[in-house]
Structure formats: structure tokens, C-alpha cells
Amino acid sequence: MTTHGDLPAPAHGLLLTHFLTVSDVAVSRQFYADIFGGEVVMEENPAIVKVANSWIIMNPGGGPTADKPGITLDVPENSERVSTFLNVRVADMAGFYEHAVAQGAHFLTPPVDRTSELRCYLRDPDGYLIEVGQSTGLTLGIKAQEPTTRGQ
């Protein structure tokens, strides 16, 4: 199913991947393949989906191991409190949004024009927050407007 070139295994230097603890590997694997046009390079143990120039690695949660003593991996318990999220940049927000909605994605809002970018958020099957943005004014040196409330 996979070739060595599809795996996140650099010949030199490093590369960055993103690991997600998921409740259902098959559902999450399909979500990232369908919504982001990802290529499944490993189905499980761990699941790996190559998305553009990056990889999302997924496995169920679990308790401490020899290399991470005292650490338990678990899916988010409260989707209203977030300390990290995926940030995906697209060339065509309207096209991406239309495709994702057709694939069953549920966005918090439609894309919002923030002067420097078009931006919206969606959640994956476990509630992980994903920001999707298209740089617009930013490419012309225009920064985002100051948020009117904390957290925008």
C-alpha cells in the first residue's frame, strides 16, 4: 500500500508531523483523507495520512509507556477549551469550503474576511479544532484587524 517515499522518514535533517489521539482510527483516517484530499499511507498502528506536504499520524489513546512515563494520551474532553489546533493554509478558500462541506465537514462559521485573510474553523470527528485560512491582504502587507474581544 505504501512506498518509503510516502512515509514521514527524512533522508537527512528533519520534518514535522502532527500526531492526534483519536477515538476511532478508521473514522478519523477517512475524515483527513476526504476533507483534505489526503493519501492514506498506513491504515493503522499508527494510521498515517499524507496531506499536501505534511503527515497526520493517528492512534488511539493509552497510558504511560517506557519512553513517556507518567503521560496518558486521550482525546479532547472539552471542545470549548483549546490549547492547540491545526492551521491549514489554502490557495482557494471558496473552493476548499465548498469541497469540505460536500464531504460532510461542519464549520463553526462560513469563512470570515479578516482583512489580511479569509478564515474559518471546523472540527474533526474527535473535536480537534482546525483553522483553514487563505492569505489575502497579508500578501500585500495588510495585517489582520485587532480583535474586538479576547480570543478572536
Side-chain angles (χ1 to χ4, degrees):
M1 167 198 240
T2 184
T3 65
H4 178 70
D6 293 336
L7 294 172
H12 53 82
L14 62 90
L15 59 80
L16 189 62
T17 67
H18 192 73
F19 178 91
L20 296 174
T21 302
V22 300
S23 57
D24 187 323
V25 172
V27 168
S28 293
R29 181 182 64 231
Q30 198 64 49
F31 173 86
Y32 285 97
D34 289 350
I35 301 300
F36 294 101
E39 174 191 353
V40 176
V41 296
M42 282 185 68
E43 291 201 15
E44 57 184 273
N45 297 324
I48 302 175
V49 178
K50 183 177 183 182
V51 178
N53 59 350
S54 192
W55 290 263
I56 298 173
I57 301 172
M58 296 159 270
N59 245 351
T65 58
D67 57 344
K68 57 175 181 49
I71 305 294
T72 298
L73 298 178
D74 203 356
V75 298
E77 291 184 25
N78 180 347
S79 65
E80 300 302 315
R81 300 192 57 87
V82 176
S83 62
T84 185
F85 57 88
L86 230 95
N87 185 304
V88 178
R89 308 311 290 177
V90 298
D92 175 13
M93 177 60 83
F96 175 83
Y97 184 80
E98 181 181 315
H99 163 79
V101 168
Q103 293 295 318
H106 299 284
F107 288 82
L108 277 62
T109 68
V112 172
D113 188 343
R114 295 182 34 87
T115 309
S116 65
E117 66 180 343
L118 299 172
R119 184 174 86 184
C120 57
Y121 291 86
L122 71 148
R123 292 193 183 276
D124 83 353
D126 285 297
Y128 287 106
L129 189 64
I130 303 167
E131 174 185 306
V132 180
Q134 176 186 345
S135 294
T136 53
L138 190 62
T139 61
L140 303 172
I142 300 169
K143 295 182 179 180
Q145 295 174 345
E146 290 295 320
T148 55
T149 61
R150 185 172 183 258
Q152 278 188 319

